[in-house]
Amino acid sequence: AAKAALDSAGRITIPQTLRMFADVSSSVVIAGAPNRLEIWNEEHWLSNLTAVQNNPPAPELLMELVG
């Protein structure tokens, strides 16, 4: 995780270490979370999305996330 400020064109720079960790090179998905934005490699996002759709978490676990 890293804090980022917008430049004059409204862009952020993602540090190289985080780009490598997330395997981000071209196509990405930006997902809104309660207190942050997550930037995902598009293939990883789709794979995780399919996994969650095929085996959804228990409702009580979701309640812990939303309080």
Side-chain angles (χ1 to χ4, degrees), residues 15-24 44:
Q16 178 67 24
T17 53
L18 292 179
R19 289 195 310 267
M20 290 174 54
F21 176 79
D23 192 24
V24 170
H44 294 196

Side-chain angles (χ1 to χ4, degrees), residues 41-58:
N41 168 300
E42 184 177 27
E43 290 178 16
H44 294 196
W45 171 264
L46 293 172
S47 174
N48 279 281
L49 180 62
T50 300
V52 169
Q53 289 173 334
N54 291 336
N55 188 18

Side-chain angles (χ1 to χ4, degrees), residues 52 56-67:
V52 169
E60 59 271 12
L61 295 176
L62 295 174
M63 287 304 297
E64 290 178 17
L65 292 174
V66 295

